[in-house]
Amino acid sequence: MNLATLARHTLSRGATPAATYALLARLGHQPLPVARAVCLALDIPHAETTRRLTDCHDALLADPRPNTENDTGELLEALGVFDIPVALDATGRAVVDLFLTAIEAMGGIRPGHQHGLTRWFTTGNLTAAYLSLTATHPLPRTGDPALYWTTLTTVGELLTTTSPDPRLKYALTHCRTQATRT
């Protein structure tokens, strides 16, 4: 049985991607092929799998310490290596483009926030991305508050047409209020 098939089987039995990685690595398989097998078992395209694993290879997979399989699996999962990409429709792509405009209008963003947003874009969780951005404010010296809030207002208007989540309406009201204050 090849590693991808074994990973697929383990995932089908309810194991998380992190636990699947840890199990296969503890069986004595090398970290990079195990991580690749988990990604492929999750139907992450080969090119995307290669890009993701290249980004974290040196830090996590090149020279693992003994008995760190669980930690490595959890780190790979936290980094988004096992995130299943979602194909966005035209509205979703427009929303992500507007998010990028808003992020630029922030005038700077913390790396952790940027990482979270990137993961939400990849997985199609645009509501979480929107709520996160509406709870943030542009930087006073380098940001463009008017552009930030009007862009997020437009995003909110688009998202409320496709999602019944009541949090979106409250966030949209907040953005409209902020836009009128700038």
Side-chain angles (χ1 to χ4, degrees):
M1 187 179 295
N2 73 27
L3 277 177
T5 302
L6 188 54
R8 199 171 285 107
H9 175 73
T10 305
L11 290 165
S12 75
R13 298 182 67 75
T16 65
T20 300
Y21 171 87
L23 173 69
L24 297 179
R26 278 194 307 272
L27 291 175
H29 300 287
Q30 292 299 308
L32 181 60
V34 169
R36 183 179 321 286
V38 173
C39 288
L40 296 176
L42 292 166
D43 293 326
I44 298 170
H46 191 276
E48 179 64 13
T49 293
T50 300
R51 185 193 64 75
R52 292 178 187 189
L53 295 177
T54 298
D55 288 348
C56 68
H57 179 266
D58 291 344
L60 293 174
L61 303 172
D63 189 26
R65 292 177 307 169
N67 303 315
T68 59
E69 297 87 356
N70 287 338
D71 294 339
T72 301
E74 289 174 12
L75 280 170
L76 290 169
E77 196 164 279
L79 290 171
V81 170
F82 301 137
D83 285 353
I84 300 169
V86 170
L88 298 173
D89 62 10
T91 301
R93 290 188 301 274
V95 165
V96 170
D97 286 344
L98 288 166
F99 280 147
L100 296 175
T101 299
I103 290 167
E104 189 172 314
M106 283 178 75
I109 188 168
R110 294 180 334 270
H113 193 190
Q114 179 67 49
H115 175 70
L117 290 169
T118 301
R119 290 189 69 191
W120 289 324
F121 298 165
T122 299
T123 60
N125 193 346
L126 303 182
T127 296
Y130 182 66
L131 295 173
S132 175
L133 286 170
T134 62
T136 306
H137 293 276
L139 296 174
R141 292 183 183 213
T142 56
D144 182 343
L147 178 60
Y148 183 75
W149 294 114
T150 56
T151 301
L152 289 180
T153 297
T154 302
V155 171
E157 291 166 349
L158 284 170
L159 289 176
T160 56
T161 64
T162 60
S163 173
D165 190 328
R167 299 174 301 168
L168 290 172
K169 291 180 183 178
Y170 293 113
L172 176 56
T173 300
H174 172 70
C175 291
R176 285 179 175 146
T177 301
Q178 293 298 321
T180 59
R181 291 181 180 168
T182 58

